[in-house]
């Protein structure tokens, strides 16, 4: 009961935040509201008992990306560019996509269904073997680090590649501009 | 030197140490509680970013120089992959942490998780701080009043 009330309140606050983001054209406020959006999603993950995901969402979504978006605004413009065409076609596309997604969820198992494929396939195996093989209380860490260590190595490599990409795009240009200034001087 | 934002500067000085401590807790307590290398790396980076926002890019680069950030970026992935290479040399599969303590496999698993989570944390800290430096290092195109 209390879970249902919490979920309804959090989801309606998510929708209100999303609508406010769409209505606004002052980008500073939009960035702040997207931080609020991330924090609300983190709370939703907590009510779903996915604390590791909630942790990441709060740290990355509400923390780092807010700072990075603000830095981006500082490099560009603080006000949204006015759209020159009508919003009718995008609106229809969004409605069709949303309807398709809702149609897709009709086949999904009910929330908390013990016979859902996610809970009957390899999940119980991992939960049963973690205390024997790894002996750490947090099964998420055991699965990510040990059973799926190769995937996590790939993720670390992806984060590394993303960092290198941003460095190449932003720092490289700055150095080139400094070189040009030196050439002119 | 800037002398405005007194409250922000005092609060930041108190907060930075606490944030670093919390990041280390999330990093090395990840086996027992929510969190791990990725979250800890982000929180650690936030400590440097908040310092940079309040005290300026020049000061944070004196604490955590750019060349060091760029080295850490690669070092983390090397620590992670190196653990896998080590276990291969010990005759086990790639990333099989039993190799770290063949007599007691669960102890080896604990060590392996700690080491690879540390590698992930180092890389994520490096990447987040490097991205922040890259963005903040460019001259802003709008003035303070335009926000």
């Amino acid at each position: 009961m209390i879970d249902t009330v919490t979920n309804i309140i959090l989801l309606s606050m998510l929708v209100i935040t999303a609508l406010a983001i769409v209505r606004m054209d002052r980008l500073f406020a939009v960035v702040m509201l997207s931080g609020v959006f991330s924090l609300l999603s983190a709370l939703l993950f907590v009510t779903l008992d996915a604390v590791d995901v909630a942790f990441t969402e709060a740290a990355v979504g509400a923390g780092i990306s807010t700072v990075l978006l603000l830095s981006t605004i500082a490099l560009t413009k603080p006000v949204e560019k006015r759209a020159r065409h009508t919003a009718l076609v995008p609106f229809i596309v969004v409605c069709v996509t949303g309807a398709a997604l809702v149609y897709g969820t009709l086949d999904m198992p009910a929330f908390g269904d013990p016979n859902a494929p996610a809970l009957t396939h390899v999940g119980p195996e991992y939960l049963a073997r973690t205390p024997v093989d790894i002996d750490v209380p947090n099964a998420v860490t055991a699965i990510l680090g040990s059973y799926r260590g190769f995937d996590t190595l790939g993720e670390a490599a992806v984060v590394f590649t993303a960092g290198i990409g941003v460095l190449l795009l932003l720092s490289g240009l700055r150095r080139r501009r400094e070189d040009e200034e030196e050439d002119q001087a | 030197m800037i002398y405005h934002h007194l409250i922000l500067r005092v609060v930041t000085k108190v907060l930075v140490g606490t944030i670093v401590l919390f990041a280390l807790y999330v990093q090395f307590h990840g086996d027992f509680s929510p969190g791990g290398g990725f979250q800890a790396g982000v929180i650690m980076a936030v400590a440097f970013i908040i310092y940079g926002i309040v005290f300026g890019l020049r000061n944070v680069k004196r604490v955590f120089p750019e060349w060091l950030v760029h080295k850490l970026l690669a070092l983390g992935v090397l620590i992670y992959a190196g653990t896998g290479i080590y276990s291969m040399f010990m005759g086990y599969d790639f990333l099989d942490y039993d190799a770290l303590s063949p007599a007691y496999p669960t102890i080896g698993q604990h060590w392996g998780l700690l080491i690879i989570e540390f590698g992930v944390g180092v890389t994520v800290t490096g990447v987040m701080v490097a991205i922040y430096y890259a963005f903040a290092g460019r001259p802003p195109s709008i003035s303070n009043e335009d926000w």
Side-chain angles (χ1 to χ4, degrees), chain B residues 7-37:
Chain B
I7 295 175
L8 276 183
R9 290 194 295 140
V10 172
V11 170
T12 305
K13 276 190 179 171
V14 176
L15 271 183
V16 166
T18 322
I19 294 173
V20 170
L21 199 63
F22 183 57
L24 292 174
Y25 166 76
V26 172
Q27 173 79 59
F28 294 111
H29 210 257
D31 301 358
F32 297 89
S33 58

Side-chain angles (χ1 to χ4, degrees), chain B residues 8-73:
Chain B
L8 276 183
R9 290 194 295 140
V10 172
V11 170
T12 305
K13 276 190 179 171
V14 176
L15 271 183
V16 166
T18 322
I19 294 173
V20 170
L21 199 63
F22 183 57
L24 292 174
Y25 166 76
V26 172
Q27 173 79 59
F28 294 111
H29 210 257
D31 301 358
F32 297 89
S33 58
F38 190 79
Q39 292 90 336
V42 172
I43 295 169
M44 184 68 93
V46 163
F48 292 107
I49 291 175
I50 195 175
Y51 192 84
I53 291 175
V54 176
F55 291 95
L57 201 60
R58 186 189 295 263
N59 283 320
V60 74
K61 278 186 180 171
R62 274 166 59 200
V63 180
F64 198 24
E66 208 161 6
W67 62 265
L68 180 62
V69 179
H70 294 170
K71 299 284 184 295
L72 287 183
L73 211 91

Side-chain angles (χ1 to χ4, degrees), chain A residues 14 17 21 28-42 57-67 69:
Chain A
L14 267 184
T17 317
I21 290 176
F28 180 74
V30 170
V31 170
M32 287 302 153
L33 280 174
S34 67
V36 171
F37 192 88
S38 291
L39 212 54
L40 286 171
S41 346
E57 180 68 38
V60 179
I64 294 274
S65 50
T66 308
V67 170
L69 285 172

